[in-house]
Amino acid sequence: MSEVRESGERPTRVGVAAGLVAAEGVTVAGFGVSMLVLTVTGSPDGLTQALTGAVTVLVLALLPLITARGLWRLRRWSRGPAIFTQLLALPVGWQMASGTGAWVPGGLAVAAVAIAVLVCLFHAKAAAALGVATGRRAA
């Protein structure tokens, strides 16, 4: 184990990554709740499809929330799902930013957060704190 992991200190980059990933999870959960509210208060074309969509989005919000908790607690397993989620967010941000109106700043925000999390998690100190060998020494 590395010195950082044994001391239990959380590098700032890991804390930032955990916070950003948690914010992503809360945002996705917010979308799921709003979909659920619109389904209940509105008149969707297909009630079953609308409910299924809302529940699916709420369940998908669990991945970044659980991952953020793992990053905060310096769990090695959390780095992989966090990186995977950000790699999925990059084309989503790109596609959103290619739109018009409010989609552009939304897409730029999604991409900026994804890049920030990736930069944080690929830093040598963050990798060492999460127990991942990078082949480089943490400075």
Side-chain angles (χ1 to χ4, degrees):
M1 263 195 218
S2 72
E3 292 176 26
V4 175
R5 190 156 167 84
E6 287 175 358
S7 70
E9 289 181 30
R10 181 182 311 102
T12 302
R13 287 174 179 85
V14 176
V16 168
L20 290 172
V21 172
E24 288 173 335
V26 169
T27 302
V28 173
F31 284 128
V33 168
S34 68
M35 288 173 64
L36 194 58
V37 168
L38 289 173
T39 298
V40 173
T41 61
S43 55
D45 292 337
L47 181 62
T48 303
Q49 287 177 326
L51 283 174
T52 301
V55 169
T56 300
V57 171
L58 286 170
V59 169
L60 287 173
L62 291 175
L63 176 63
L65 291 171
I66 292 168
T67 301
R69 185 170 188 256
L71 287 172
W72 187 257
R73 297 179 70 189
L74 298 177
R75 301 295 189 242
R76 180 183 176 138
W77 61 263
S78 63
R79 186 172 183 256
I83 290 171
F84 178 73
T85 304
Q86 304 320 304
L87 292 175
L88 289 177
L90 285 173
V92 171
W94 175 266
Q95 191 64 33
M96 288 172 64
S98 298
T100 58
W103 289 106
V104 175
L108 293 174
V110 168
V113 168
I115 290 168
V117 171
L118 289 169
V119 167
C120 287
L121 292 179
F122 278 107
H123 191 273
K125 280 188 178 180
L130 293 166
V132 178
T134 61
R136 297 185 342 190
R137 281 192 164 279

